[in-house]
């Protein structure tokens, strides 16, 4: 029985890995690779948001701040790698571009660490309004520091500089795809492992019944703060992936639009199921990418899907899949 459970637990990971490895066999289109790379970024971003809202019950309208700071940190590190490569000396001369998501992870986590403690005193609507103000404040303030944020044009770099690991030149979207495969698999596995930790379990408790959590000796503010930092770190990792993919980061990445997009992806996919944001990220990215070829109102259709999910399937697509799976398991599908 235990062996059967282990096999069932490993099956989704093995199937996902096989799909990721075989995807290039069925397509050589640069457009397809570009879309898949964006999907990978959005999966990590949406799952990091799910840590905050789906597991911790903290509705945020400023989650893109960590994504943007992670992207900016990775982009500045990319430029430092380029400068060091020409000089031929220094720490950055030996730092590979494929490891830049770690820089984004550190930047996002550090940002959340600095601003999270006072914010996590509140929950519910108050927390949502605080994060909304934070997002707009940072996005607007970024224009005041062009040396860091590059002004309206942003900061750009070259992902082909520095030492190459695993033979990845990162010159074509197909090369970037393998970079994305590695990081999305590592990030998803790490965030799934987080849900199995005591802190991950307590984040569910602080979402469902913070008073009871306080009663048994765990201050809800401390739990919220730790989850906030972990969520910000993984959002920064997604930002680092985006910096390598796009080779440019602008102040728009800090604003309300990407924060709304990540909420949309998580809600459509389903916040109560771990793989829900993955489904939502894939669906919303495909709709944004493909519908724009046929209609100028692609955002309208995405909005209609979001409204339909909220009204008729509040648990999202992942929640619906889980209901069908449970009914099948119980023999009540009919």
């Amino acid at each position: 029985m235990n062996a059967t459970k282990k096999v069932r637990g490993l099956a989704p990971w093995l199937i996902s890995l096989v799909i990721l490895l075989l995807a290039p066999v069925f397509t050589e289109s640069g457009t397809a690779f570009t879309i898949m790379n964006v999907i990978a970024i959005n999966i990590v971003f949406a799952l990091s948001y799910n840590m905050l809202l789906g597991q911790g019950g903290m509705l945020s309208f400023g989650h893109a701040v960590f994504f943007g700071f992670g992207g900016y940190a990775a982009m500045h590190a990319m430029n430092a790698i380029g400068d060091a490569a020409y000089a031929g000396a220094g720490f950055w001369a030996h730092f590979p571009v494929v490891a830049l998501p770690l820089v984004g992870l550190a930047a996002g986590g550090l940002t959340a660490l600095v601003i999270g403690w006072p914010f996590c005193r509140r929950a519910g609507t108050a927390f949502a309004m605080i994060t909304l103000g934070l997002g707009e404040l940072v996005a607007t303030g970024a224009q005041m520091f062009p040396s860091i944020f590059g002004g309206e044009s942003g900061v750009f770099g070259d992902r082909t500089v520095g030492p190459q690991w695993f033979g990845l030149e990162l010159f074509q979207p197909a090369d970037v795809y393998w970079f994305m495969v590695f990081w999305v698999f590592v990030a998803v596995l790490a965030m799934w492992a987080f849900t199995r930790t005591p802190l991950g379990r307590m984040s569910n408790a602080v979402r469902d019944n913070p008073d009871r959590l306080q009663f048994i000796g765990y201050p809800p503010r401390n739990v919220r703060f730790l989850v906030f930092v972990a969520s910000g770190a993984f959002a920064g990792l997604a930002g680092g992936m985006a910096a390598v993919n796009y080779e440019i980061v602008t102040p728009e990445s800090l604003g309300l639009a990407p924060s709304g997009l990540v909420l949309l992806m998580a809600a459509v996919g389903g916040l109560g199921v771990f793989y829900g944001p993955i489904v939502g990220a894939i669906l919303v990215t495909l709709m944004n990418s493909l519908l724009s070829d046929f209609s100028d109102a692609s955002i309208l259709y995405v909005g209609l899907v979001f409204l339909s999910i909220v009204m008729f399937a509040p648990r999202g697509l992942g929640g619906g899949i889980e209901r069908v799976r449970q009914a099948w398991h119980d023999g009540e599908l009919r």
Side-chain angles (χ1 to χ4, degrees):
M1 181 64 72
N2 291 333
T4 303
K5 288 183 177 180
K6 289 182 179 179
V7 171
R8 289 179 178 177
L10 290 175
W13 298 101
L14 296 176
I15 293 172
S16 300
L17 183 59
V18 169
I19 292 174
L20 291 172
L21 294 177
L22 292 181
V25 176
F26 298 100
T27 180
E28 296 181 356
S29 169
T31 302
F33 281 118
T34 299
I35 294 175
M36 288 189 289
N37 293 340
V38 176
I39 287 175
I41 295 167
N42 287 340
I43 284 175
V44 178
F45 192 25
L47 280 175
S48 73
Y49 188 79
N50 188 52
M51 293 175 67
L52 198 64
L53 179 58
Q55 297 179 40
M58 293 179 281
L59 175 62
S60 172
F61 293 114
H63 198 59
V65 169
F66 313 113
F67 177 85
F69 270 96
Y72 270 107
M75 188 58 66
H76 283 297
M78 187 187 299
N79 290 329
I81 292 172
D83 295 339
Y86 288 116
F91 168 78
W92 293 110
H94 307 285
F95 195 92
V97 171
V98 294
L100 284 180
L102 293 177
V103 177
L105 177 83
L110 182 61
T111 304
L113 185 69
V114 171
I115 68 176
W117 184 249
F119 288 1
C120 293
R121 293 180 59 187
R122 303 293 182 183
T125 304
F127 180 83
M129 294 299 99
I130 289 171
T131 56
L132 175 62
L134 169 70
E136 290 303 292
L137 176 67
V138 172
T140 304
Q143 303 290 346
M144 301 171 60
F145 302 96
S147 61
I148 299 176
F149 299 100
E152 294 183 358
S153 59
V155 179
F156 56 89
D158 181 6
R159 67 188 178 208
T160 62
V161 298
Q164 297 176 5
W165 282 11
F166 312 112
L168 291 177
E169 297 181 356
L170 299 178
F171 186 72
Q172 299 292 339
D175 300 329
V176 180
Y177 173 77
W178 295 113
F179 162 83
M180 293 293 177
V181 166
F182 174 78
W183 282 110
V184 74
F185 198 81
V186 169
V188 171
L189 184 61
M191 283 185 274
W192 177 82
F194 176 83
T195 66
R196 320 301 292 180
T197 63
L199 178 59
R201 300 298 190 187
M202 285 191 290
S203 68
N204 296 335
V206 78
R207 175 197 63 194
D208 298 333
N209 197 332
D211 293 334
R212 185 171 182 83
L213 191 67
Q214 177 73 51
F215 178 76
I216 61 176
Y218 294 98
R221 178 184 181 181
N222 295 355
V223 177
R224 292 193 192 100
F225 174 64
L226 293 175
V227 173
F228 188 81
V229 173
S231 175
F234 281 106
L237 188 146
M241 295 168 62
V244 175
N245 184 61
Y246 299 119
E247 297 181 286
I248 186 172
V249 181
T250 65
E252 293 180 359
S253 63
L254 299 162
L256 184 60
S259 293
L261 178 64
V262 72
L263 171 60
L264 175 68
M265 292 187 293
V268 167
L271 292 164
V273 183
F274 176 77
Y275 62 81
I278 299 177
V279 176
I282 295 172
L283 176 63
V284 172
T285 305
L286 288 176
M287 291 184 68
N288 280 334
S289 300
L290 301 180
L291 286 179
S292 60
D293 295 335
F294 302 98
S295 172
D296 294 333
S298 58
I299 300 299
L300 172 64
Y301 299 125
V302 174
L304 291 175
V305 169
F306 176 70
L307 290 176
S308 301
I309 292 293
V310 171
M311 293 177 63
F312 304 110
R315 294 184 60 193
L317 297 176
I321 294 172
E322 281 299 300
R323 289 186 63 183
V324 172
R325 188 187 67 82
Q326 188 61 42
W328 175 274
H329 182 267
D330 297 339
E332 300 176 353
L333 187 59
R334 294 179 59 186

